[in-house]
Amino acid sequence: MRFATRVSLACCLAVAAFAKLAAADGAQDGSPARVFTICVPDVYWKECTDMIKDSAMNGIPVTCISGRDRYECIERVGRKEADVVAVDPEDMYLAVKDNALAAKAGYSIVEQVRTKEEPDAIYRYEAVAVIHKDLDIQNVQGLRGLKSCHTGVGRNVGYKIPITKLTNMGVLNNLHDPQYSARENELRALSSLFSKGCLVGTWSPDPAINRRLKQTYSNMCALCEKPEICDYPDIYSGYEGALRCLAHNGGQVAWTKVIYVKRFFGLPVGVTPAIPTAENPADYRYFCPDGSKVAIDANTKPCTWAARPWQGYMVNGAVGDVQAVQKELTDLGKLGEKEKAAWWKDIMLLDPKTLAVPAPAVSPEDHLKNSKYLDVIERNSGAVDKLARCCVWSAGDLDKCRAIARSAFSRDIRPKIECILEQNQEACLKSLKEDNTDLLVVQGGSVLRAVKEYNAKPILAESYGEGSTKLGERPAIALIKEGSTIKALSDLRGKKSCHSGYKGDFAGWNAPVRALKEKGLIASEDKMADFFGGSCAPGAPPESKLCQQCVGSIDSSDERVRNATKCKPCADEAYKGGKGAVDCLLAGSGDVAFLPLTGLTQLKNNTSNLKLLCPNGNVAPINDWQTCSLGLDPPTVVLSSASKSEYALEELIHAVLATGNLYAKRPDLLQLSDIWNGETNILFRDEGKGLVSVDKSWDKWDKWQETQQLYGIA
């Protein structure tokens, strides 16, 4: 795979393993009570260590094991490597559909995250349709031609649930036109069913597609406060806004949830007494899926279309004492609230309005089916039989692609991604040209040849945030401290170096190797270790001089942990990545640091005492990187086929962009970037921040091909 570096899985699990051993040792000193193990995503490991300390001081035996993300935590609980993981309904769906693991795992939901306002409610919320009491409607077919008010595009009660249920009832039609994307098919169907509506939000993560869709189906924006914008904030959007649209802006049906109907009309909600409002519930009715109408008052049970289950805590079949784990989770919830701890929010999924409530153990599948939510997750109404076929050429890529495909589907991203394994990049490009695949991910330097020889079309590129160019290139820089005696690359001989990474890391390795070779200072990259007096290049052979300056998990007081994590290319090595390379320099462990400019944006320290070491033999301020860098690293690019129609390309752009945006914001759910099963830069780069659309202004394909050849990018 492209510049993938294989490392030991012990890298990111070492700290977790030792923490678990320590906690188990501690438990043996005191109570014989079983120590339950919670699996937490790597990004919350610090919160986990805090939770262990807080709980130990309060007599709650608990420990943690880390997973790459929640996806892997579900698997680790299923394999009985951990006992508990906190999950959303979508995560429960992943557990249900992992056929290879589900039967052996014996998953069950034993505790739920409920609101303090409705601690006894069976569901998190229930979806309802509200109409004026005098509306002449006898069945769901009578919705045709009405003016409809929605919470927002892509949301559960205002979009996914009505689309799912109305499609199943045969009310929404023509959702399967192959020339349109899944999202556009749904918007077309809603636009045809309703005469007007308010459906705010981002209709597509691509700005150009978003504008086109809102112009084409503008009737679904007509009832909004700002129809021309049709986005948040809008007084006729959201749960209460949909009701406001119904009551005060000409709407005839509103899709929202029960709790907001009660609040809107001044009715009691759970333990909260009635708070009168100016709205009269007697003027409105719940509209039921069977066509009947139900009064809106404090005593009548609403008729619902579906419900969203509560979040909860999932265990495996090896957890025999359910009451014990329920007590532990409840106690942890109370302790976290008392301490206002970060782990209470990030690991327990709790906040000031919620609490952990014991509930009868139920399988995740039954939990979803009982709420009529399983078909909502599985809805494929706008993309029946459609697939976004992604071609990969390594086992690591295939594993990650499949995880992305499953997770994205559970989170409502369509069309469904399918992963295809070929022998190499060449075979994937051929498959793309022959229309046997739809997507593949390559480095920017490979795009020009793909376009010329395989009729490929670049559609998306990875972005890396502040410190990268407009086209996503990352400048490779050499940093020294102000006042350093180093004035030229030749002065580096015998000095100590800090690298953001090892082979495959453009800024940390490829760029300095080329710069030193160009100056005749080394004959090949194999001489890097001899050129420097000592280095930290995370990912290098642990016993080599290239790992001499690394420190491992510097925050740990356990020497075993520090040794196990030293020079590993993951966050447990304190000097890993751009920020780590600078920390290595500032700590005096190195005289020079090689890293991407983007690494400086992660620093909290003032960088005024740092200077650039230029390849032409001088020193410059950091802002002069345009004339003082070791090269520009091209971004990762997603390719499709130029022979596809505009609509087909839009659909693929929407699916991949939505996936990138989701997991860039929520790496705890799935790590789109960062180490994957012990390998770096799998499919996407570890430093990626998201994806952006490619347009005609992207014109550096030839330059990037030259860079790839000159710098030896694989």
Side-chain angles (χ1 to χ4, degrees):
M1 178 52 198
R2 300 165 300 280
F3 52 82
T5 304
R6 186 171 297 277
V7 298
S8 169
L9 275 175
C11 170
C12 294
L13 300 180
V15 179
F18 285 119
K20 186 175 182 181
L21 285 172
D25 291 343
Q28 291 170 3
D29 294 337
S31 168
R34 174 175 175 180
V35 179
F36 290 106
T37 302
I38 299 177
C39 187
V40 303
D42 278 336
V43 294
Y44 297 140
W45 181 251
K46 184 183 183 304
E47 285 91 331
C48 171
T49 58
D50 292 341
M51 181 175 72
I52 292 173
K53 293 174 186 175
D54 292 345
S55 61
M57 290 188 293
N58 288 270
I60 306 171
V62 62
T63 187
C64 300
I65 190 169
S66 72
R68 177 193 60 243
D69 42 41
R70 199 183 292 175
Y71 185 99
E72 187 178 50
C73 273
I74 294 167
E75 293 184 331
R76 300 204 76 182
V77 169
R79 293 194 298 265
K80 301 178 175 61
E81 296 167 5
D83 302 308
V84 188
V85 59
V87 288
D88 297 330
E90 290 75 14
D91 304 313
M92 299 173 198
Y93 177 79
L94 291 176
V96 170
K97 293 300 177 179
D98 188 345
N99 298 327
L101 192 59
K104 296 179 182 178
Y107 291 117
S108 61
I109 311 301
V110 298
E111 183 114 347
Q112 297 176 7
V113 176
R114 294 184 179 179
T115 62
K116 294 175 182 177
E117 191 171 42
E118 295 185 296
D120 298 322
I122 300 174
Y123 306 116
R124 178 178 170 186
Y125 56 73
E126 297 173 287
V128 291
V130 180
I131 59 174
H132 296 276
K133 70 178 179 65
D134 297 325
L135 182 67
D136 184 16
I137 184 171
Q138 310 305 321
N139 52 51
V140 291
Q141 295 294 339
L143 292 169
R144 193 167 303 281
L146 296 187
K147 299 172 184 176
S148 185
C149 305
H150 302 259
T151 53
V153 73
R155 295 177 64 167
N156 275 307
V157 299
Y159 186 82
K160 291 194 286 187
I161 288 174
I163 285 178
T164 301
K165 303 305 179 180
L166 292 176
T167 300
N168 292 344
M169 295 174 180
V171 179
L172 276 181
N173 301 313
N174 196 26
L175 284 115
H176 313 142
D177 193 320
Q179 74 169 311
Y180 298 108
S181 69
R183 173 56 58 85
E184 185 160 2
N185 267 322
E186 291 177 342
L187 293 170
R188 287 175 70 245
L190 290 173
S191 178
S192 299
L193 177 64
F194 300 115
S195 60
K196 290 183 179 180
C198 180
L199 181 66
V200 306
T202 303
W203 289 14
S204 170
D206 181 280
I209 299 174
N210 185 55
R211 285 192 297 272
R212 182 187 68 76
L213 291 175
K214 287 183 178 179
Q215 290 169 357
T216 305
Y217 309 106
S218 59
N219 66 313
M220 291 307 297
C221 294
L223 294 183
C224 296
E225 177 189 10
K226 300 172 184 175
E228 70 284 357
I229 299 174
C230 199
D231 206 344
Y232 304 102
D234 192 295
I235 62 171
Y236 300 124
S237 70
Y239 302 118
E240 185 175 336
L243 290 165
R244 198 178 292 117
C245 167
L246 173 73
H248 304 295
N249 203 41
Q252 294 172 292
V253 59
W255 307 90
T256 186
K257 61 185 185 182
V258 171
I259 191 171
Y260 277 86
V261 174
K262 292 179 178 179
R263 288 175 182 166
F264 189 77
F265 292 114
L267 302 173
V269 178
V271 299
T272 305
I275 301 174
T277 69
E279 309 297 339
N280 183 7
D283 292 337
Y284 299 87
R285 297 287 186 270
Y286 290 114
F287 177 62
C288 307
D290 64 3
S292 62
K293 303 171 188 176
V294 170
I296 299 176
D297 56 43
N299 302 311
T300 306
K301 180 177 174 57
C303 58
T304 62
W305 289 66
R308 179 167 175 79
W310 295 108
Q311 296 167 294
Y313 305 100
M314 188 164 67
V315 301
N316 57 50
V319 178
D321 194 343
V322 170
Q323 289 184 330
V325 75
Q326 286 175 329
K327 182 179 186 305
E328 180 173 276
L329 291 166
T330 302
D331 290 346
L332 279 173
K334 292 176 181 176
L335 174 63
E337 181 167 24
K338 177 183 175 183
E339 301 290 336
K340 294 182 172 58
W343 56 261
W344 174 62
K345 171 181 175 290
D346 294 332
I347 296 176
M348 302 289 292
L349 308 183
L350 295 168
D351 61 45
K353 295 182 178 180
T354 60
L355 72 169
V357 177
V362 61
S363 73
E365 184 169 15
D366 287 342
H367 191 58
L368 296 174
K369 284 183 175 178
N370 292 342
S371 61
K372 297 181 286 186
Y373 195 68
L374 188 64
D375 64 337
V376 176
I377 292 179
E378 291 185 325
R379 76 185 180 89
N380 212 11
S381 55
V384 172
D385 297 327
K386 283 189 177 183
L387 293 171
R389 300 164 297 174
C390 183
C391 191
V392 299
W393 55 93
S394 81
D397 281 5
L398 182 64
D399 180 71
K400 186 172 185 177
C401 179
R402 285 174 172 171
I404 292 171
R406 293 184 66 233
S407 188
F409 185 82
S410 77
R411 298 274 170 180
D412 196 43
I413 292 169
R414 302 292 186 273
K416 187 176 184 179
I417 299 170
E418 181 181 73
C419 307
I420 300 169
L421 179 66
E422 290 286 358
Q423 288 186 334
N424 49 42
Q425 178 173 303
E426 202 78 8
C428 277
L429 287 167
K430 183 179 178 182
S431 180
L432 183 71
K433 185 176 183 179
E434 295 173 352
D435 195 31
N436 292 321
T437 192
D438 305 301
L439 300 164
L440 69 150
V441 183
V442 301
Q443 297 315 303
S446 299
V447 173
L448 183 63
R449 180 168 171 267
V451 169
K452 287 184 174 181
E453 297 182 22
Y454 294 94
N455 197 33
K457 181 179 180 63
I459 57 173
L460 296 164
E462 199 165 20
S463 61
Y464 306 98
E466 187 180 349
S468 57
T469 69
K470 185 177 70 172
L471 298 186
E473 303 152 306
R474 291 180 299 156
I477 58 173
L479 276 185
I480 56 175
K481 292 181 184 177
E482 188 172 32
S484 170
T485 58
I486 298 169
K487 303 299 179 185
L489 292 178
S490 57
D491 296 333
L492 294 176
R493 187 179 300 277
K495 298 294 193 296
K496 293 181 173 61
S497 62
C498 307
H499 304 255
S500 55
Y502 186 47
K503 293 182 179 181
D505 184 311
F506 181 90
W509 190 258
N510 297 61
V513 165
R514 180 172 185 271
L516 294 176
K517 285 172 65 177
E518 273 199 321
K519 295 295 182 183
L521 298 172
I522 59 171
S524 69
E525 70 174 339
D526 295 335
K527 300 299 181 182
M528 286 283 277
D530 296 329
F531 179 77
F532 292 107
S535 304
C536 178
E543 303 305 318
S544 73
K545 281 178 63 181
L546 293 171
C547 288
Q548 181 178 299
Q549 301 303 109
C550 294
V551 291
S553 181
I554 200 169
D555 293 331
S556 176
S557 58
D558 192 323
E559 188 175 350
R560 296 173 299 172
V561 173
R562 294 196 299 273
N563 289 335
T565 55
K566 184 176 180 179
C567 206
K568 301 300 183 183
C570 69
D572 289 340
E573 166 54 64
Y575 293 162
K576 185 257 183 183
K579 179 182 180 298
V582 180
D583 288 341
C584 171
L585 175 68
L586 294 176
S589 297
D591 303 296
V592 63
F594 298 103
L595 66 148
L597 183 66
T598 51
L600 292 179
T601 64
Q602 305 170 38
L603 294 177
K604 296 178 181 177
N605 307 351
N606 189 328
T607 58
S608 60
N609 64 333
L610 299 176
K611 299 295 179 183
L612 297 179
L613 179 64
C614 307
N616 61 3
N618 66 312
V619 175
I622 289 174
N623 290 339
D624 287 353
W625 62 265
Q626 294 95 332
T627 57
C628 184
S629 76
L630 306 185
L632 295 177
D633 186 11
T636 297
V637 176
V638 181
L639 298 177
S640 189
S641 171
S643 63
K644 291 188 180 295
S645 70
E646 178 185 352
Y647 289 114
L649 287 171
E650 279 191 2
E651 179 163 52
L652 294 169
I653 290 169
H654 178 97
V656 181
L657 201 53
T659 301
N661 288 349
L662 171 61
Y663 297 120
K665 294 175 184 175
R666 294 293 308 276
D668 59 309
L669 299 178
L670 187 80
Q671 276 283 9
L672 202 62
S673 301
D674 214 342
I675 196 165
W676 185 275
N677 290 354
E679 293 184 70
T680 60
N681 301 310
I682 295 297
L683 272 184
F684 299 102
R685 300 197 189 186
D686 294 351
E687 301 84 4
K689 303 297 181 187
L691 297 168
V692 294
S693 298
V694 169
D695 58 33
K696 293 180 180 178
S697 69
W698 291 62
D699 59 358
K700 299 189 72 172
W701 313 117
D702 55 346
K703 180 66 176 175
W704 292 350
Q705 179 173 276
E706 181 183 345
T707 298
Q708 178 168 285
Q709 294 166 348
L710 289 175
Y711 287 78
I713 303 173

